[in-house]
């Protein structure tokens, strides 16, 4: 999508919910570099803000279920980006009821803080809610057919967002993300396949791939995502759709990604498959 907004307004505060991980760091850093005031909320931060950005950045360390009532700047922010959903598949599979309860409680606690004059961007997971794509990639019109408890949880959270936003007349957009990668993954624990393979080429660390390595996934650069999101800081820039897939539009097996990285770095990563 290309965005051309005829009217530009001074940047207002953006609230990034669940900003403590890799995508949160990338987005917060980008917005702060563009002099956009940011409130970053997370119950834990895996990164430390650059000192020169702190004038434009406020950090709130808090669980969403117990946000301080005096945080009035949430209501003052025209744009809220909600990325608080965990991407830890193992945790969701191990305790699916607790995982769903925790995420839905946080969402239902936070959504009532949003009013009709604000806009919400909600992160979901493309591959998880669609299930395995039949033709290499999924489209927004495709039926949701999650194959895991993680995908089912994300589908339920989407339904909560759609219901509450519809009832309260909140302008919203659900982004179903493929698999982002970028150098900011160096600051977090879960580094993703692409960066893990590149690091393995450098220091021979072991990379464990779930399954046979034949599952197809879509990978895209997090820099493209942050650039895309930055357009909506301008309040006159409309959301292109209520639900939007974010990815490259192409899918690759883990074995193909291993081959790409090996050819790029001219070294073999140390990979083991579970099946």
């Amino acid at each position: 999508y290309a965005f051309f907004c005829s009217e530009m307004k001074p940047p207002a505060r953006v609230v990034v919910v669940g900003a403590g991980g890799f995508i949160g760091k990338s987005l917060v850093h980008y917005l702060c570099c563009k002099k956009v005031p940011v409130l970053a909320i997370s119950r834990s931060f895996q990164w430390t803000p650059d000192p020169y950005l702190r004038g434009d950045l406020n950090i709130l360390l808090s669980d969403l279920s117990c946000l301080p009532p005096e945080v009035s700047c949430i209501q003052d922010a025209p744009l809220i980006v909600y990325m608080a959903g965990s991407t830890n598949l193992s945790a969701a599979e191990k305790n699916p009821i607790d995982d769903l309860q925790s995420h839905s409680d946080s969402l239902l606690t936070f959504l009532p803080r949003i009013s009709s004059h604000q806009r919400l961007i909600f992160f979901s997971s493309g591959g998880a809610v669609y299930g395995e794509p039949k033709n290499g990639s999924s489209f927004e019109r495709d039926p949701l057919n999650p194959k895991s408890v993680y995908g089912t949880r994300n589908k339920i959270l989407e339904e909560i967002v759609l219901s509450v936003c519809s009832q309260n007349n909140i302008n919203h957009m659900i982004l179903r993300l493929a698999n982002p990668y970028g150098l900011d993954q160096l600051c977090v624990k879960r580094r993703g396949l692409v960066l893990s393979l590149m690091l393995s080429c450098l220091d021979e660390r072991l990379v464990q791939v779930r399954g046979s390595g034949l599952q197809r996934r879509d990978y895209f650069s997090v820099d493209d995502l942050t650039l895309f999101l930055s357009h909506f800081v301008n309040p006159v820039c409309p959301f292109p759709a209520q639900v939007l897939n974010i990815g490259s539009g192409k899918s690759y097996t883990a074995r193909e990604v291993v081959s790409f990285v090996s050819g790029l770095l001219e070294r073999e990563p140390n990979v083991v498959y579970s099946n």
Side-chain angles (χ1 to χ4, degrees):
Y1 290 91
F3 296 90
F4 301 95
C5 301
S6 58
E7 181 185 354
M8 295 298 294
K9 296 183 178 181
R13 183 177 301 279
V14 175
V15 175
V16 182
V17 183
F22 149 58
I23 301 179
K25 180 181 186 302
S26 299
L27 177 60
V28 168
H29 185 273
Y30 183 88
L31 293 177
C32 288
C33 286
K34 297 298 182 180
K35 305 302 181 184
V36 177
V38 176
L39 170 62
I41 304 174
S42 181
R43 62 183 176 184
S44 62
F45 282 86
Q46 299 183 53
W47 50 271
T48 302
D50 296 325
Y52 69 90
L53 296 178
R54 290 182 180 174
D56 299 310
L57 173 63
N58 288 319
I59 296 286
L60 177 57
L61 188 65
S62 175
D63 190 283
L64 292 182
S65 61
C66 54
L67 276 176
E70 65 271 14
V71 184
S72 60
C73 49
I74 293 177
Q75 284 77 19
D76 297 334
L79 179 64
I80 297 171
V81 182
Y82 191 104
M83 57 177 73
S86 169
T87 58
N88 191 330
L89 277 70
S90 298
E93 292 171 349
K94 185 176 181 181
N95 296 298
I97 296 178
D98 291 344
D99 180 72
L100 174 60
Q101 185 74 56
S102 173
H103 282 82
S104 59
D105 285 351
S106 295
L107 188 57
L108 288 169
T109 300
F110 185 80
L111 286 177
R113 288 177 172 264
I114 306 175
S115 62
S116 59
H117 71 273
Q118 297 175 291
R119 301 200 293 174
L120 171 69
I121 297 177
F122 179 81
F123 280 20
S124 185
S125 175
V129 296
Y130 289 115
E132 291 296 331
K134 295 181 179 180
N135 299 311
S137 60
S138 299
F139 299 90
E140 290 87 350
R141 63 179 179 272
D142 291 346
L144 302 187
N145 188 27
K147 302 294 185 181
S148 66
V149 293
Y150 170 73
T152 301
R153 179 255 278 174
N154 283 344
K155 179 176 180 290
I156 293 172
L157 295 181
E158 283 190 20
E159 292 171 350
I160 292 174
V161 170
L162 290 171
S163 176
V164 174
C165 288
S166 176
Q167 292 176 20
N168 297 334
N169 197 29
I170 299 170
N171 190 6
H172 62 283
M173 178 170 60
I174 293 176
L175 299 184
R176 293 174 178 158
L177 305 185
N179 295 273
Y181 64 87
L183 290 178
D184 280 330
Q185 285 179 309
L186 288 170
C187 72
V188 298
K189 298 176 182 178
R190 302 179 67 245
R191 292 177 172 172
L193 180 61
V194 175
L195 189 63
S196 295
L197 292 173
M198 296 178 72
L199 293 173
S200 179
C201 288
L202 299 177
D203 59 16
E204 298 185 352
R205 70 183 65 190
L206 180 65
V207 178
Q208 295 181 316
V209 177
R210 292 177 55 154
S212 63
L214 298 178
Q215 308 94 324
R216 305 192 71 87
R217 298 290 182 266
D218 184 332
Y219 301 88
F220 70 94
S221 170
V222 73
D223 293 338
D224 292 332
L225 175 62
T226 55
L227 178 60
F228 172 76
L229 291 170
S230 69
H231 290 286
F232 306 109
V233 173
N234 184 358
V236 302
C237 197
F239 290 156
Q242 189 178 80
V243 177
L244 198 63
N245 292 342
I246 301 294
S248 69
K250 298 180 181 180
S251 59
Y252 303 92
T253 68
R255 292 181 182 270
E256 288 175 327
V257 177
V258 170
S259 178
F260 293 154
V261 171
S262 176
L264 177 66
L265 299 182
E266 298 183 344
R267 303 180 77 172
E268 290 290 336
N270 184 15
V271 181
V272 61
Y273 301 95
S274 61
N275 288 341

PDB file of all heavy atoms in Angstrom, residues 74-92:
ATOM      1  N   ILE A  74      -3.085   7.837  28.118  1.00  0.00           N
ATOM      2  CA  ILE A  74      -3.634   6.816  27.226  1.00  0.00           C
ATOM      3  C   ILE A  74      -4.869   7.381  26.525  1.00  0.00           C
ATOM      4  O   ILE A  74      -5.036   7.234  25.312  1.00  0.00           O
ATOM      5  CB  ILE A  74      -3.988   5.538  28.006  1.00  0.00           C
ATOM      6  CG1 ILE A  74      -2.714   4.867  28.527  1.00  0.00           C
ATOM      7  CG2 ILE A  74      -4.781   4.564  27.134  1.00  0.00           C
ATOM      8  CD1 ILE A  74      -2.968   3.635  29.365  1.00  0.00           C
ATOM      9  N   GLN A  75      -5.735   8.050  27.284  1.00  0.00           N
ATOM     10  CA  GLN A  75      -6.934   8.622  26.691  1.00  0.00           C
ATOM     11  C   GLN A  75      -6.617   9.797  25.764  1.00  0.00           C
ATOM     12  O   GLN A  75      -7.433  10.143  24.910  1.00  0.00           O
ATOM     13  CB  GLN A  75      -7.903   9.089  27.778  1.00  0.00           C
ATOM     14  CG  GLN A  75      -8.680   7.957  28.469  1.00  0.00           C
ATOM     15  CD  GLN A  75      -7.858   7.191  29.486  1.00  0.00           C
ATOM     16  OE1 GLN A  75      -6.835   7.675  29.951  1.00  0.00           O
ATOM     17  NE2 GLN A  75      -8.299   5.994  29.831  1.00  0.00           N
ATOM     18  N   ASP A  76      -5.448  10.409  25.927  1.00  0.00           N
ATOM     19  CA  ASP A  76      -5.082  11.572  25.119  1.00  0.00           C
ATOM     20  C   ASP A  76      -4.399  11.194  23.814  1.00  0.00           C
ATOM     21  O   ASP A  76      -4.184  12.063  22.963  1.00  0.00           O
ATOM     22  CB  ASP A  76      -4.140  12.492  25.910  1.00  0.00           C
ATOM     23  CG  ASP A  76      -4.803  13.050  27.159  1.00  0.00           C
ATOM     24  OD1 ASP A  76      -6.047  13.142  27.164  1.00  0.00           O
ATOM     25  OD2 ASP A  76      -4.086  13.368  28.122  1.00  0.00           O
ATOM     26  N   ALA A  77      -4.066   9.918  23.633  1.00  0.00           N
ATOM     27  CA  ALA A  77      -3.306   9.496  22.454  1.00  0.00           C
ATOM     28  C   ALA A  77      -4.245   9.161  21.297  1.00  0.00           C
ATOM     29  O   ALA A  77      -5.143   8.315  21.455  1.00  0.00           O
ATOM     30  CB  ALA A  77      -2.448   8.286  22.787  1.00  0.00           C
ATOM     31  N   PRO A  78      -4.066   9.779  20.139  1.00  0.00           N
ATOM     32  CA  PRO A  78      -4.930   9.466  18.994  1.00  0.00           C
ATOM     33  C   PRO A  78      -4.741   8.044  18.465  1.00  0.00           C
ATOM     34  O   PRO A  78      -5.663   7.464  17.907  1.00  0.00           O
ATOM     35  CB  PRO A  78      -4.519  10.497  17.941  1.00  0.00           C
ATOM     36  CG  PRO A  78      -3.831  11.585  18.698  1.00  0.00           C
ATOM     37  CD  PRO A  78      -3.163  10.907  19.856  1.00  0.00           C
ATOM     38  N   LEU A  79      -3.530   7.474  18.642  1.00  0.00           N
ATOM     39  CA  LEU A  79      -3.245   6.156  18.081  1.00  0.00           C
ATOM     40  C   LEU A  79      -2.708   5.230  19.161  1.00  0.00           C
ATOM     41  O   LEU A  79      -1.788   5.581  19.905  1.00  0.00           O
ATOM     42  CB  LEU A  79      -2.214   6.255  16.947  1.00  0.00           C
ATOM     43  CG  LEU A  79      -1.796   4.933  16.291  1.00  0.00           C
ATOM     44  CD1 LEU A  79      -2.987   4.272  15.585  1.00  0.00           C
ATOM     45  CD2 LEU A  79      -0.654   5.140  15.310  1.00  0.00           C
ATOM     46  N   ILE A  80      -3.289   4.031  19.224  1.00  0.00           N
ATOM     47  CA  ILE A  80      -2.835   2.992  20.140  1.00  0.00           C
ATOM     48  C   ILE A  80      -2.480   1.758  19.330  1.00  0.00           C
ATOM     49  O   ILE A  80      -3.291   1.282  18.521  1.00  0.00           O
ATOM     50  CB  ILE A  80      -3.915   2.651  21.177  1.00  0.00           C
ATOM     51  CG1 ILE A  80      -4.213   3.871  22.046  1.00  0.00           C
ATOM     52  CG2 ILE A  80      -3.488   1.474  22.041  1.00  0.00           C
ATOM     53  CD1 ILE A  80      -5.411   3.703  22.948  1.00  0.00           C
ATOM     54  N   VAL A  81      -1.271   1.254  19.538  1.00  0.00           N
ATOM     55  CA  VAL A  81      -0.824   0.033  18.871  1.00  0.00           C
ATOM     56  C   VAL A  81      -0.738  -1.055  19.932  1.00  0.00           C
ATOM     57  O   VAL A  81       0.074  -0.963  20.864  1.00  0.00           O
ATOM     58  CB  VAL A  81       0.540   0.223  18.183  1.00  0.00           C
ATOM     59  CG1 VAL A  81       0.954  -1.055  17.456  1.00  0.00           C
ATOM     60  CG2 VAL A  81       0.483   1.386  17.199  1.00  0.00           C
ATOM     61  N   TYR A  82      -1.570  -2.088  19.802  1.00  0.00           N
ATOM     62  CA  TYR A  82      -1.662  -3.148  20.819  1.00  0.00           C
ATOM     63  C   TYR A  82      -0.957  -4.388  20.284  1.00  0.00           C
ATOM     64  O   TYR A  82      -1.439  -5.053  19.357  1.00  0.00           O
ATOM     65  CB  TYR A  82      -3.127  -3.454  21.115  1.00  0.00           C
ATOM     66  CG  TYR A  82      -3.353  -4.349  22.326  1.00  0.00           C
ATOM     67  CD1 TYR A  82      -3.808  -3.819  23.522  1.00  0.00           C
ATOM     68  CD2 TYR A  82      -3.124  -5.719  22.263  1.00  0.00           C
ATOM     69  CE1 TYR A  82      -4.036  -4.627  24.631  1.00  0.00           C
ATOM     70  CE2 TYR A  82      -3.345  -6.537  23.367  1.00  0.00           C
ATOM     71  CZ  TYR A  82      -3.793  -5.981  24.547  1.00  0.00           C
ATOM     72  OH  TYR A  82      -4.012  -6.792  25.642  1.00  0.00           O
ATOM     73  N   MET A  83       0.197  -4.701  20.877  1.00  0.00           N
ATOM     74  CA  MET A  83       0.961  -5.883  20.463  1.00  0.00           C
ATOM     75  C   MET A  83       1.301  -6.748  21.668  1.00  0.00           C
ATOM     76  O   MET A  83       2.366  -7.354  21.740  1.00  0.00           O
ATOM     77  CB  MET A  83       2.235  -5.462  19.727  1.00  0.00           C
ATOM     78  CG  MET A  83       3.156  -4.548  20.506  1.00  0.00           C
ATOM     79  SD  MET A  83       4.691  -4.156  19.612  1.00  0.00           S
ATOM     80  CE  MET A  83       4.094  -3.039  18.368  1.00  0.00           C
ATOM     81  N   ALA A  84       0.383  -6.799  22.636  1.00  0.00           N
ATOM     82  CA  ALA A  84       0.669  -7.446  23.910  1.00  0.00           C
ATOM     83  C   ALA A  84       0.498  -8.960  23.884  1.00  0.00           C
ATOM     84  O   ALA A  84       0.726  -9.615  24.895  1.00  0.00           O
ATOM     85  CB  ALA A  84      -0.215  -6.851  25.009  1.00  0.00           C
ATOM     86  N   GLY A  85       0.077  -9.532  22.769  1.00  0.00           N
ATOM     87  CA  GLY A  85      -0.097 -10.976  22.716  1.00  0.00           C
ATOM     88  C   GLY A  85       1.226 -11.716  22.638  1.00  0.00           C
ATOM     89  O   GLY A  85       2.072 -11.415  21.795  1.00  0.00           O
ATOM     90  N   SER A  86       1.439 -12.676  23.505  1.00  0.00           N
ATOM     91  CA  SER A  86       2.665 -13.470  23.487  1.00  0.00           C
ATOM     92  C   SER A  86       2.717 -14.331  22.235  1.00  0.00           C
ATOM     93  O   SER A  86       1.703 -14.864  21.784  1.00  0.00           O
ATOM     94  CB  SER A  86       2.739 -14.353  24.729  1.00  0.00           C
ATOM     95  OG  SER A  86       3.770 -15.304  24.611  1.00  0.00           O
ATOM     96  N   THR A  87       3.912 -14.498  21.668  1.00  0.00           N
ATOM     97  CA  THR A  87       4.093 -15.363  20.498  1.00  0.00           C
ATOM     98  C   THR A  87       4.745 -16.685  20.883  1.00  0.00           C
ATOM     99  O   THR A  87       5.256 -17.397  20.019  1.00  0.00           O
ATOM    100  CB  THR A  87       4.958 -14.655  19.436  1.00  0.00           C
ATOM    101  OG1 THR A  87       6.234 -14.313  20.009  1.00  0.00           O
ATOM    102  CG2 THR A  87       4.278 -13.391  18.925  1.00  0.00           C
ATOM    103  N   ASN A  88       4.725 -16.996  22.173  1.00  0.00           N
ATOM    104  CA  ASN A  88       5.343 -18.232  22.659  1.00  0.00           C
ATOM    105  C   ASN A  88       4.379 -19.405  22.473  1.00  0.00           C
ATOM    106  O   ASN A  88       3.468 -19.618  23.274  1.00  0.00           O
ATOM    107  CB  ASN A  88       5.728 -18.076  24.136  1.00  0.00           C
ATOM    108  CG  ASN A  88       6.609 -19.215  24.625  1.00  0.00           C
ATOM    109  OD1 ASN A  88       6.523 -20.342  24.138  1.00  0.00           O
ATOM    110  ND2 ASN A  88       7.472 -18.916  25.583  1.00  0.00           N
ATOM    111  N   LEU A  89       4.570 -20.166  21.405  1.00  0.00           N
ATOM    112  CA  LEU A  89       3.684 -21.284  21.094  1.00  0.00           C
ATOM    113  C   LEU A  89       3.739 -22.353  22.175  1.00  0.00           C
ATOM    114  O   LEU A  89       2.712 -22.941  22.535  1.00  0.00           O
ATOM    115  CB  LEU A  89       4.051 -21.902  19.745  1.00  0.00           C
ATOM    116  CG  LEU A  89       3.497 -21.236  18.490  1.00  0.00           C
ATOM    117  CD1 LEU A  89       4.160 -19.885  18.260  1.00  0.00           C
ATOM    118  CD2 LEU A  89       3.679 -22.118  17.265  1.00  0.00           C
ATOM    119  N   SER A  90       4.930 -22.614  22.701  1.00  0.00           N
ATOM    120  CA  SER A  90       5.083 -23.671  23.710  1.00  0.00           C
ATOM    121  C   SER A  90       4.278 -23.368  24.966  1.00  0.00           C
ATOM    122  O   SER A  90       3.640 -24.253  25.543  1.00  0.00           O
ATOM    123  CB  SER A  90       6.559 -23.849  24.063  1.00  0.00           C
ATOM    124  OG  SER A  90       7.302 -24.257  22.926  1.00  0.00           O
ATOM    125  N   ALA A  91       4.294 -22.102  25.397  1.00  0.00           N
ATOM    126  CA  ALA A  91       3.541 -21.716  26.592  1.00  0.00           C
ATOM    127  C   ALA A  91       2.046 -21.867  26.359  1.00  0.00           C
ATOM    128  O   ALA A  91       1.313 -22.318  27.246  1.00  0.00           O
ATOM    129  CB  ALA A  91       3.868 -20.278  26.976  1.00  0.00           C
ATOM    130  N   ALA A  92       1.595 -21.501  25.163  1.00  0.00           N
ATOM    131  CA  ALA A  92       0.174 -21.632  24.848  1.00  0.00           C
ATOM    132  C   ALA A  92      -0.252 -23.095  24.817  1.00  0.00           C
ATOM    133  O   ALA A  92      -1.352 -23.445  25.254  1.00  0.00           O
ATOM    134  CB  ALA A  92      -0.132 -20.962  23.511  1.00  0.00           C
TER     135      ALA A  92
END
